[in-house]
């Protein structure tokens, strides 16, 4: 029995939840969705949205919400994902589950071993998880007369807002890494401390805001910095409103359509629309018309140029080469070394209509080109300078740079960048930039996550095998004893009801029978076997009052009162007295006063030696 309980306990650790038979509209406590069951998918009542496990790489899965595709849709077409629970920590394709435990906490478990995501909720009441028609995954506490929201996915968006989903000071949108890599990317939409909604590029080492144009003041942008409510929303008709007075309408506004507001992997802010799942998505609004104005699109030391055919392409500046042709966001690296030597060792290459934003050593207004170049040559950290004419001030401005980031080539830009290189002929620029240019559409890569069996919990596995082994031994013992009992019963022929099946012939009495025989007193009941092995009718039940134990031990005459006379005195009176006294101790009412088996053996050995 102990082993059976141990097996049940270990099993409850390994498989603590019931497996749901899905699709179903909701989850309740102690139910779960399994990564290994394709039918374990939640569907909204209107059928527009689905939620479940999606493959995001090699044996790598994330729990997500997506627009439901109609039956018969192209199986190679990727679903349109609107939310992910574990975008940066995919789970394995074996034994991973999304479970609603007995406390009301929604937990995503990787391969049945450790938790990678949870809602951190609890409730003593009934709790249910629903996928709403709006695409919101809601965890509700069911109470008498209504329900209360404990958690909802709308409060924790990833890269997408759906119609009527509020965007607040506590939320942000973070782009995906690429079209197929759904892990967190480099672009973020958020409300800044000035109460204005902004886009930020942040790759961990470098960060810069690029929308709205950072050099413009809020009043020039017609934005308000006074409304601290910080809330924005897109409705189903295509109208977007924000507390900072930023508003827009989509090109198809006025009609209820399927819509999604997203920070795309390329850093642009867009609204996609379609009539229903049978149609393709199209862009109905976007924040940046010029993709080269988006920071980080080409990486450090490179230039983004508009290409009528592909939209844009990235080129390394002279003296640099691509770090990774499969990931242009890594930019370009130097092919030469810069040292603080004499100024005559360097010259400048002109890059017309090219602008690099940020990382200025200083702003020098109204100085000549010679003065600007001298300042750059005098600084060991200067790698070039921006020199442009300011129409408002009517003079040229100089901006020496320590880093070349956010490079953009545009004919509309009236100015040039002068790159400091070790005596490079400027005529080599055109041929060099053509050889090092490539389109900005980065090659997409899936997240690799292989299932490794070594990651299994060895301790739990060992406990399970140990419990199974002990259980097997017990089963074998039970079978052996059972066989022996059957064999003994067949030999004795005395397995009638009321007798122990050991071939001993001892009668087994119920508690009610003993209580009746002793008149309810605390007594010791002893059955003395008939010497001649007669039938049941020849047995005697002899009772011994515990009070008799107070007689003088030297007076052994009391033993004769409890010994069956049919034994005819054929016994050692002293040893019989010792046996009775030991037996009396073994039936003490106080369990702590009873001797152990070891103590019984020791007492009997003492009597034997005496």
């Amino acid at each position: 029995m102990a082993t059976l309980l141990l097996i049940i306990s270990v099993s409850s650790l390994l498989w603590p939840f019931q497996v749901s038979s899905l699709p179903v509209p909701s989850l309740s406590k102690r139910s779960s969705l399994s990564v290994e069951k394709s039918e374990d998918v939640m569907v909204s009542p209107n059928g527009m949205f689905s939620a479940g496990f999606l493959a995001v790489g090699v044996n790598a899965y994330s729990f997500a919400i997506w627009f439901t595709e109609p039956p018969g849709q192209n199986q190679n077409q990727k679903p349109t994902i609107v939310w992910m629970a574990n975008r940066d920590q995919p789970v394995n394709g074996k034994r991973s589950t999304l479970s609603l435990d007995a406390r009301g906490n929604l937990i995503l478990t990787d391969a049945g071993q450790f938790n990678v995501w949870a809602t951190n909720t609890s409730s003593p009441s009934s709790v249910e998880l629903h996928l709403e028609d709006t695409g919101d995954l809601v965890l509700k506490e069911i109470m008498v007369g209504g329900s209360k929201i404990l958690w909802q996915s709308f409060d924790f968006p990833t890269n997408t807002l759906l119609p009527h989903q509020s965007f607040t000071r506590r939320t942000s949108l973070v782009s995906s890494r690429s079209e197929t890599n759904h892990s967190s990317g480099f672009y973020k939409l958020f409300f800044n401390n000035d109460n204005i909604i902004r886009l930020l590029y942040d790759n961990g080492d470098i960060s810069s805001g690029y929308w709205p144009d950072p050099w413009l003041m809020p009043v020039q942008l017609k934005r308000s910095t006074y409304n601290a409510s910080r809330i924005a929303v897109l409705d189903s008709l295509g109208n977007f409103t924000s507390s900072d007075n930023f508003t827009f309408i989509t090109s198809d506004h006025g009609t209820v359509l399927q819509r999604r507001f997203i920070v795309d992997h390329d850093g642009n802010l867009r609204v996609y629309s379609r009539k229903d799942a049978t149609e393709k998505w199209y862009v109905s609004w976007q924040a940046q018309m010029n993709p080269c104005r988006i920071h980080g699109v080409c990486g450090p030391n490179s230039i983004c140029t508009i290409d009528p055919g592909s939209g844009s392409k990235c080129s390394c500046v002279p003296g640099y080469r691509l770090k990774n042709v499969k990931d242009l966001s890594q930019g370009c690296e130097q092919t030469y070394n810069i040292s603080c030597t004499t100024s005559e060792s360097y010259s400048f290459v002109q890059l017309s209509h090219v602008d690099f934003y940020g990382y200025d050593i200083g702003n020098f207004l109204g100085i000549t080109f010679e003065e600007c170049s001298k300042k750059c040559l005098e600084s060991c950290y200067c790698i070039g300078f921006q020199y442009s004419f300011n129409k408002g001030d009517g003079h040229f401005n100089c901006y020496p740079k320590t880093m070349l980031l956010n490079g953009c080539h545009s004919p509309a830009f009236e100015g040039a960048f002068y790159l400091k290189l070790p005596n490079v002929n400027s005529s080599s620029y055109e041929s060099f930039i053509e050889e090092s240019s490539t389109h900005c559409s980065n090659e997409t890569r899936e997240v690799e996550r292989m299932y490794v069996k070594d990651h299994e919990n060895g301790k739990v596995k060992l406990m399970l095998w140990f419990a199974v082994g002990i259980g097997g031994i017990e089963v074998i013992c039970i079978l052996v004893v059972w066989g022996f009992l059957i064999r003994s019963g067949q030999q004795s022929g005395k397995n009638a009801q009321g007798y122990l099946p050991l071939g001993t012939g001892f009668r087994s009495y119920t508690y009610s029978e003993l209580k009746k025989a002793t008149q309810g007193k605390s007594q010791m009941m002893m059955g003395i076997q008939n010497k001649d092995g007669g039938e049941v009718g020849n047995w005697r039940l002899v009772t011994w009052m515990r009070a008799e134990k107070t007689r003088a031990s030297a007076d052994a005459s009391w033993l004769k009162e409890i010994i069956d006379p049919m034994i005819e005195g054929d016994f050692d009176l002293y040893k019989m007295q010792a046996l009775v006294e030991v037996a009396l101790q073994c039936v003490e009412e106080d369990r702590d006063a009873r001797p152990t088996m070891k103590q019984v053996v020791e007492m009997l050995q003492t009597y034997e030696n005496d």
Side-chain angles (χ1 to χ4, degrees):
M1 178 62 70
T3 302
L4 180 60
L5 292 176
L6 178 59
I7 295 175
I8 294 174
S9 300
V10 174
S11 300
S12 65
L13 291 174
L14 296 177
W15 302 283
F17 302 100
Q18 301 173 3
V19 178
S20 304
S21 177
L22 294 175
V24 294
S26 63
L27 284 183
S28 57
K29 284 185 176 181
R30 296 187 178 90
S31 61
S32 65
L33 301 176
S34 173
V35 69
E36 296 177 85
K37 294 187 177 182
S38 59
E39 68 272 17
D40 278 9
V41 176
M42 299 180 67
V43 180
S44 62
N46 62 3
M48 184 180 298
F49 296 96
S50 299
F53 286 94
L54 283 180
V56 294
V58 179
N59 198 35
Y61 291 81
S62 290
F63 187 83
I65 302 173
W66 65 90
F67 280 94
T68 304
E69 299 298 334
Q73 193 80 4
N74 185 3
Q75 298 299 319
N76 295 326
Q77 182 176 348
K78 298 293 184 180
T80 303
I81 299 172
V82 299
W83 181 82
M84 273 191 173
N86 57 319
R87 65 189 305 195
D88 295 319
Q89 192 173 357
V91 296
N92 287 298
K94 294 184 180 180
R95 297 172 48 220
S96 296
T97 58
L98 180 79
S99 308
L100 185 56
D101 67 12
R103 298 179 302 169
N105 191 18
L106 189 64
I107 305 171
L108 181 59
T109 306
D110 186 2
Q113 297 180 35
F114 55 90
N115 300 334
V116 300
W117 177 87
T119 57
N120 298 318
T121 53
S122 63
S123 172
S125 305
S126 176
V127 175
E128 293 183 353
L129 181 70
H130 294 267
L131 181 60
E132 305 290 341
D133 287 338
T134 58
D136 189 12
L137 191 64
V138 182
L139 189 62
K140 295 181 179 180
E141 180 182 40
I142 309 301
M143 302 177 294
V144 177
S147 61
K148 182 180 71 172
I149 295 178
L150 294 178
W151 175 91
Q152 59 181 348
S153 61
F154 269 17
D155 291 337
F156 304 91
T158 48
N159 65 340
T160 302
L161 286 180
L162 293 172
H164 306 291
Q165 178 180 357
S166 296
F167 185 73
T168 69
R169 68 172 69 214
R170 296 181 179 87
T171 57
S172 61
L173 299 184
V174 179
S175 68
S176 295
R177 189 65 183 83
S178 69
E179 290 185 9
T180 56
N181 185 343
H182 300 285
S183 58
S184 298
F186 302 141
Y187 300 99
K188 177 181 179 181
L189 180 73
F190 68 108
F191 272 104
N192 199 10
N193 292 333
D194 59 2
N195 299 324
I196 292 179
I197 192 170
R198 295 184 181 274
L199 277 170
L200 176 74
Y201 168 76
D202 186 358
N203 68 357
D205 298 324
I206 300 169
S207 64
S208 58
Y210 60 93
W211 182 88
D213 293 332
W215 55 84
L216 296 179
M217 299 295 292
V219 64
Q220 296 174 282
L221 297 168
K222 298 182 180 179
R223 303 283 188 94
S224 171
T225 61
Y226 301 106
N227 192 339
S229 60
R230 301 185 193 178
I231 186 170
V233 66
L234 173 71
D235 65 21
S236 57
L237 296 176
N239 300 308
F240 183 88
T241 56
S242 176
S243 57
D244 65 353
N245 289 345
F246 172 68
T247 61
F248 69 80
I249 57 176
T250 61
S251 60
D252 54 7
H253 73 281
T255 304
V256 176
L257 299 172
Q258 292 185 5
R259 303 179 188 274
R260 54 191 178 97
F261 180 80
I262 180 173
V263 179
D264 257 333
H265 67 279
D266 62 358
N268 212 339
L269 193 61
R270 297 185 177 96
V271 176
Y272 290 90
S273 307
R274 69 179 183 183
K275 183 179 179 180
D276 52 46
T278 62
E279 296 186 351
K280 293 184 178 181
W281 294 99
Y282 59 87
V283 177
S284 56
W285 178 85
Q286 66 179 9
Q288 287 283 12
M289 301 305 296
N290 184 354
C292 289
R293 298 289 294 273
I294 299 173
H295 289 183
V297 65
C298 287
N301 307 311
S302 60
I303 303 170
C304 177
T305 305
I306 298 297
D307 188 315
S310 61
S312 61
K313 66 178 182 180
C314 298
S315 306
C316 292
V317 298
Y320 292 75
R321 61 189 172 196
L322 286 172
K323 285 186 177 180
N324 187 346
V325 295
K326 295 183 178 181
D327 187 1
L328 302 184
S329 65
Q330 296 186 25
C332 307
E333 58 186 357
Q334 286 182 344
T335 59
Y336 62 91
N337 295 323
I338 295 181
S339 60
C340 293
T341 57
T342 59
S343 60
E344 288 78 15
S345 302
Y346 297 94
S347 59
F348 293 96
V349 172
Q350 180 180 349
L351 308 179
S352 300
H353 307 292
V354 171
D355 178 30
F356 289 94
Y357 177 80
Y359 293 89
D360 301 335
I361 294 178
N363 301 332
F364 302 97
L365 309 180
I367 64 174
T368 64
F369 176 83
E370 289 73 15
E371 292 173 329
C372 185
S373 60
K374 182 179 179 181
K375 288 183 177 295
C376 185
L377 291 173
E378 290 175 349
S379 173
C380 182
Y381 303 102
C382 179
I383 59 176
F385 61 91
Q386 198 84 43
Y387 194 72
S388 58
F389 183 75
N390 189 318
K391 293 182 179 180
D393 297 335
H395 53 70
F396 285 90
N397 297 329
C398 172
Y399 306 95
K401 306 283 185 179
T402 59
M403 295 182 66
L404 302 182
L405 297 174
N406 313 314
C408 177
H409 175 271
S410 173
F413 177 70
E414 297 182 1
F417 185 81
Y418 295 86
L419 181 66
K420 184 171 74 171
L421 293 173
N423 293 324
V424 175
N425 189 345
S426 61
S427 61
S428 65
Y429 165 69
E430 295 296 335
S431 61
F432 185 91
I433 197 169
E434 290 299 327
E435 293 174 358
S436 61
S437 64
T438 183
H439 295 305
C440 293
S441 56
N442 292 353
E443 180 179 324
T444 57
R445 296 169 294 166
E446 292 184 331
V447 179
E448 294 188 1
R449 178 70 179 273
M450 300 301 295
Y451 179 69
V452 181
K453 291 188 176 181
D454 292 340
H455 290 167
E456 294 179 353
N457 193 323
K459 292 184 179 179
V460 175
K461 189 174 181 180
L462 179 61
M463 289 176 61
L464 179 61
W465 280 112
F466 177 76
V468 171
I470 296 299
I473 295 174
E474 285 192 359
V475 170
I476 294 173
C477 293
I478 291 173
L479 292 176
V480 172
V481 173
W482 186 30
F484 175 76
L485 294 179
I486 294 176
R487 180 180 177 183
S488 300
Q490 291 174 347
Q491 292 176 352
S492 65
K494 298 184 180 296
N495 289 338
Q497 183 177 1
Y499 289 84
L500 297 177
L502 292 174
T504 61
F506 283 106
R507 170 73 187 277
S508 61
Y509 292 91
T510 64
Y511 177 78
S512 59
E513 290 176 315
L514 297 178
K515 184 175 181 181
K516 182 178 179 181
T518 60
Q519 299 179 355
K521 297 179 180 180
S522 178
Q523 298 168 328
M524 174 184 176
M525 284 67 73
M526 297 181 61
I528 307 299
Q529 185 179 10
N530 189 336
K531 183 176 182 181
D532 297 330
E535 300 298 330
V536 177
N538 296 329
W539 290 78
R540 297 183 181 182
L541 175 66
V542 181
T543 63
W544 170 250
M545 299 292 293
R546 291 185 186 275
E548 296 293 340
K549 190 178 179 182
T550 60
R551 296 182 181 183
S553 60
D555 182 9
S557 61
W558 55 272
L559 283 172
K560 297 180 180 180
E561 299 178 14
I562 66 170
I563 303 300
D564 193 326
M566 296 183 67
I567 299 178
E568 298 178 352
D570 188 13
F571 60 88
D572 187 322
L573 186 62
Y574 176 76
K575 291 184 177 180
M576 182 63 71
Q577 179 181 356
L579 289 174
V580 172
E581 290 180 352
V582 171
L584 286 173
Q585 294 183 42
C586 291
V587 293
E588 287 286 350
E589 293 183 359
D590 185 1
R591 60 181 297 177
D592 295 332
R594 301 171 195 164
T596 65
M597 185 60 69
K598 179 180 179 181
Q599 292 172 331
V600 169
V601 173
E602 291 176 350
M603 286 188 291
L604 294 176
Q605 288 178 344
T606 301
Y607 288 125
E608 181 69 24
N609 295 332
D610 293 342

